[in-house]
Amino acid sequence: MKFLALLIQSILLVTIWCSPAAAIGPERLVYDVSWSGLNAGTAVLEVAAQGDDFRILNTIASNSFVSVFFRIDDKTESTVSRSVKPKSFKEKISEGKFRAHREATFNFTTHQAESKDLLTNAVKRDAITARTYDNLSSIYFLRSLQLAPGQSISFEIYDTRHLWKAEAKVGHREEITTSLGKFKTIMVTSQLTRDGIPAKVGNPTFWFTDDNQHIPVRIKTQLKVGEITLTLAKEK
């Protein structure tokens, strides 16, 4: 359930350039996770100041019921500048029998990323672009834009293994209801591709609050084991 590892990644406009809406800042968002309609666990998306930078941390854990047949314990972390450019990224994934533990650093002077598989000690270097983000910083880059229906946004995402091309499309405005109440939102869909081939999983849809904060109230994404939905349950 590498949901944020595949989440819609960073954003630059193809057809329209948008000025920043709100800068990244400390916050803690807690989500209820449902899997094919079942209550599956809890996810947390948190930002904290770290010197002149910010540390973004995402965790997701299955509840006791789901863990009986498919245990999930994922942690991803990104360190970004105040302009939300990624400096480093780490992920530790435990989903059923699958395990992954990787990290990457970004150099936008040389346009190179270096990644390391911490389970095999394999190291690789890949070319990146000025529009490259990691799996978490991309969310906050998107949130920093002025979003309006009809926009088409392109970018690249480096997930420690591959450089993906992505296109995000800003859709319609919609009012949705959660346990916290009603929210006016704007929907953003995404499509990831590599070598012209669309990704079979990921490609999430976001419902962001239709204001300068663009808080993700709901997130849906497709996994190999089915669709998961994250719904905001607590905000701090």
Side-chain angles (χ1 to χ4, degrees), residues 4-188:
L4 275 172
L6 292 170
L7 283 179
I8 167 180
Q9 330 290 336
S10 328
I11 313 296
L12 285 175
L13 292 179
V14 169
T15 57
I16 303 175
W17 173 257
C18 295
S19 59
I24 188 173
E27 67 178 2
R28 189 172 190 270
L29 307 175
V30 181
Y31 294 87
D32 292 330
V33 180
S34 63
W35 174 31
S36 299
L38 298 174
N39 180 14
T42 302
V44 178
L45 185 59
E46 188 169 11
V47 178
Q50 184 172 280
D52 292 332
D53 301 322
F54 285 99
R55 175 176 173 261
I56 308 170
L57 177 65
N58 169 246
T59 59
I60 181 168
S62 55
N63 58 26
S64 56
F65 173 72
V66 172
S67 293
V68 170
F69 52 92
F70 195 83
R71 183 175 180 272
I72 300 160
D73 185 12
D74 292 352
K75 179 179 179 180
T76 52
E77 178 182 333
S78 177
T79 299
V80 302
S81 67
R82 292 184 179 270
S83 60
V84 201
K85 295 297 287 184
K87 294 186 173 183
S88 65
F89 177 78
K90 301 176 183 178
E91 65 175 5
K92 189 174 184 180
I93 308 298
S94 177
E95 301 172 358
K97 296 181 179 180
F98 177 79
R99 300 289 186 274
H101 194 186
R102 307 183 183 98
E103 63 183 17
T105 55
F106 298 80
N107 187 323
F108 287 99
T109 301
T110 62
H111 290 126
Q112 291 280 316
E114 179 176 293
S115 65
K116 182 176 182 179
D117 188 319
L118 298 176
L119 297 181
T120 65
N121 288 322
V123 176
K124 66 193 297 278
R125 294 175 179 83
D126 294 287
I128 59 174
T129 72
R131 302 179 301 178
T132 298
Y133 295 81
D134 63 50
N135 305 322
L136 293 180
S137 61
S138 58
I139 301 171
Y140 287 85
F141 183 73
L142 176 58
R143 289 178 61 182
S144 75
L145 300 178
Q146 296 284 354
L147 303 174
Q151 293 172 356
S152 180
I153 302 164
S154 68
F155 56 94
E156 285 77 40
I157 174 66
Y158 186 68
D159 67 357
T160 75
R161 294 173 297 168
H162 306 292
L163 187 68
W164 292 84
K165 292 185 180 295
E167 182 178 9
K169 293 184 177 181
V170 183
H172 61 272
R173 291 184 166 91
E174 180 180 348
E175 185 174 86
I176 62 176
T177 302
T178 75
S179 61
L180 297 179
K182 293 183 179 180
F183 292 88
K184 292 182 178 180
T185 68
I186 188 163
M187 187 177 71
V188 178

